[in-house]
Amino acid sequence: MMLEFQWNALRTGDRVVVHDDADPRFGLHDATVSMVRTRFPGASEIGVRCDDRPSVMTRPWRHAVHLVPLEGDPDCWRCSASATNVSPTAVSVAPAGS
């Protein structure tokens, strides 16, 4: 889960990992920020392209995106739900402090 100030700091070309809401397993996908539309006040509108589907730009919810490097997010219900179903190509979750 990304905090609003982290979300608003994203720029085109930044690397992130995204939970695909269309995937029933909520798997993580490596992605690149491809569009930023700043909104003031409030959260920016972000578009990403997943590495496994580069021709499709999606606009994920802020709570479905994680910064890279991924250190695990104990507050992310999607990570908890998909802990046993993560794709082998997705970024692995490293324990905090490693």
Side-chain angles (χ1 to χ4, degrees), residues 20-34:
D20 183 0
D21 287 337
D23 179 0
R25 297 177 300 143
F26 297 114
L28 285 172
H29 299 271
D30 296 318
T32 303
V33 175
S34 58

Side-chain angles (χ1 to χ4, degrees), residues 17-21 26-29 63-66 76 78-79 82:
V17 289
V18 180
H19 290 284
D20 183 0
D21 287 337
F26 297 114
L28 285 172
H29 299 271
H63 300 293
V65 179
H66 297 282
C76 181
R78 289 175 181 91
C79 284
S82 66

Side-chain angles (χ1 to χ4, degrees), residues 25-27 77-88 93:
R25 297 177 300 143
F26 297 114
W77 66 268
R78 289 175 181 91
C79 284
S80 297
S82 66
T84 58
N85 295 319
V86 174
S87 164
V93 176

Side-chain angles (χ1 to χ4, degrees), residues 3-17:
L3 300 173
E4 188 171 337
F5 77 90
Q6 295 169 317
W7 181 259
N8 288 340
L10 289 173
R11 298 293 172 251
T12 302
D14 286 349
R15 298 290 296 167
V16 294
V17 289

